[in-house]
Amino acid sequence: AEHQHTRYNPLRDDWVLVSAHRVKRPWKGQLEKPPLEDVPRWDPNNPLCPGAVRANGEVNPQYQGTFVFPNDFPALQPDAPEPGVSDHPLFQAAAARGVCKVMCFHPWSDLTLPLMSLVEIRAVIDAWAELATELGACYPWVQIFENKGAMMGCSNPHPHCQVWASSFLPNEARLEDRTQRQHLRQHGVPMLLEYAEQEARRKERLVVENEDWLVVVPYWATWPYQTLLLPRRHVCRLQDLRDGERDSLASIMQRLLIKYDNLFEVSFPYSMGWHGAPTGPHLEEDCGHWQLHAHYYPPLLRSATVRKFMVGYEMLAQAQRDLTPEQAAERLRSLPEVHYKQRSK
């Protein structure tokens, strides 16, 4: 907690520099604007609201729960042509095809996941699983991710996520596939299943837990309040979750996200995403080395206005963090599980 050291991340096969004493240094750098607190519940000019007109001229239905539609500005398209043949090994290109969808969590713009009911969060989880099954029938990778807050590049305050299905395994997926496969081969147990059992026993980085899930600040965390959501049972894919595990997932997500909001009493920004075994042609393969998990990467460091910047040493050498994962976990663990907005009422 007092002296710098490096920690190994077996999931990414890299290292992070931990320099806990640096969090004490005075901050004279950029201050972020706190998230908006006066978002209107419905805005006819918001393209994600029920009944609103989107950029392509389509009118959203008057949806009452989740709503999924094709991204109007997709990064991947199913009919992209093959690139030309490379004339040199240093100039390679490959085909990239896929589909991109947007999923609204709720019809109200002034709600976020921690303020939604467990029934509503469970509906989101079911919609995730349906999309993972549908798109995973033919695409090797289905990336479900949520960017929450303008600080994380979210251009619309309406509660939503994105789902990109690709004809290729992205870099992070290929890396995690390799490291988890190697761990199972060497140790005879899936890496993240063993890791979850160790963290459940040690408890020093545990944030919240229930009978099916646990959330930890990983031993190798890079971002200040980064967390890892893990099932206790060996589960390869989101769509493999049992009915009771989906209910308990809704509960533990709500508890974690309430703690995040309570940390600085703001709508806490983050990028999160699910990682599970590859799909498409990989459905016929043995993917037992994989363990389903979700990453949460929040940028805030000291307050609602001071963020962690990944620049300089982090970009040119390796990741570095300013407080230990144990300190971050203890702070999150000690926070109440009643949302600050509901306490004030």
Side-chain angles (χ1 to χ4, degrees):
E2 295 296 328
H3 301 286
Q4 66 269 17
H5 59 281
T6 60
R7 296 191 184 192
Y8 180 62
N9 181 346
L11 194 58
R12 300 197 74 260
D13 189 24
D14 63 11
W15 293 78
V16 57
L17 172 62
V18 183
S19 311
H21 57 284
R22 277 173 55 84
V23 79
K24 301 174 183 176
R25 73 191 192 281
W27 182 254
K28 299 294 184 180
Q30 178 174 315
L31 298 179
E32 307 294 334
K33 293 181 179 179
L36 295 174
E37 295 287 348
D38 57 348
V39 176
R41 178 156 293 182
W42 183 82
D43 181 354
N45 297 315
N46 185 331
L48 298 187
C49 283
V53 180
R54 300 205 309 276
N56 62 358
E58 292 191 21
V59 179
N60 294 334
Q62 295 291 342
Y63 64 92
Q64 298 296 313
T66 60
F67 170 50
V68 179
F69 61 93
N71 194 313
D72 296 328
F73 303 96
L76 294 164
Q77 296 177 325
D79 55 356
E82 291 278 349
V85 178
S86 173
D87 62 354
H88 192 281
L90 293 179
F91 301 91
Q92 297 187 48
R97 301 185 179 94
V99 296
C100 299
K101 294 182 179 290
V102 176
M103 187 179 104
C104 296
F105 296 153
H106 196 279
W108 295 355
S109 293
D110 59 343
L111 278 189
T112 55
L113 281 171
L115 292 170
M116 288 166 55
S117 71
L118 291 178
V119 172
E120 291 166 337
I121 299 173
R122 167 64 194 265
V124 170
I125 294 166
D126 288 340
W128 282 342
E130 289 173 12
L131 283 170
T133 301
E134 172 195 338
L135 299 174
C138 56
Y139 286 103
W141 190 255
V142 180
Q143 183 59 66
I144 299 168
F145 65 98
E146 179 194 5
N147 294 327
K148 179 169 177 269
M151 198 181 300
M152 297 309 292
C154 182
S155 60
N156 193 308
H158 195 92
H160 72 285
C161 73
Q162 298 189 56
V163 183
W164 294 11
S166 61
S167 61
F168 55 91
L169 287 185
N171 292 340
E172 292 297 311
R174 287 192 294 109
L175 182 56
E176 289 192 2
D177 185 72
R178 175 177 65 81
T179 57
Q180 290 181 98
R181 190 184 299 274
Q182 182 178 0
H183 187 93
L184 180 64
R185 186 184 305 120
Q186 293 179 348
H187 302 282
V189 61
M191 177 198 296
L192 292 180
L193 182 62
E194 180 179 11
Y195 179 67
E197 292 171 349
Q198 285 288 322
E199 289 287 29
R201 181 174 60 81
R202 296 169 185 254
K203 296 190 181 303
E204 55 190 328
R205 285 169 295 276
L206 191 66
V207 178
V208 286
E209 63 178 330
N210 60 28
E211 61 182 23
D212 298 314
W213 300 86
L214 69 156
V215 175
V216 300
V217 177
Y219 177 79
W220 53 78
T222 298
W223 294 92
Y225 292 97
Q226 175 181 335
T227 55
L228 184 63
L229 171 57
L230 295 162
R232 296 182 186 270
R233 180 176 71 90
H234 186 201
V235 183
C236 289
R237 300 178 177 94
L238 190 65
Q239 53 268 45
D240 298 334
L241 293 176
R242 299 165 179 162
D243 190 66
E245 289 170 331
R246 296 186 186 195
D247 285 337
S248 57
L249 174 57
S251 173
I252 204 163
M253 283 175 54
Q254 184 188 63
R255 293 170 62 196
L256 169 65
L257 298 180
I258 286 174
K259 284 180 178 290
Y260 269 161
D261 280 9
N262 285 344
L263 180 61
F264 300 128
E265 295 198 345
V266 294
S267 184
F268 204 69
Y270 59 73
S271 282
M272 73 81 64
W274 285 100
H275 281 176
T279 50
H282 303 280
L283 291 170
E284 304 301 321
E285 300 174 0
D286 180 4
C287 291
H289 55 291
W290 269 90
Q291 174 73 330
L292 175 70
H293 58 283
H295 296 283
Y296 284 84
Y297 297 131
L300 293 179
L301 174 59
R302 303 188 191 194
S303 69
T305 60
V306 177
R307 67 182 300 181
K308 168 68 177 179
F309 287 92
M310 293 293 180
V311 295
Y313 189 86
E314 291 88 353
M315 295 179 69
L316 298 166
Q318 70 179 36
Q320 179 269 334
R321 60 177 292 118
D322 298 322
L323 76 166
T324 68
E326 294 76 24
Q327 290 168 335
E330 182 179 11
R331 186 166 183 188
L332 288 172
R333 188 168 54 243
S334 65
L335 291 167
E337 295 186 10
V338 176
H339 199 276
Y340 72 92
K341 288 185 177 180
Q342 296 168 333
R343 291 201 311 269
S344 62
K345 291 180 181 179

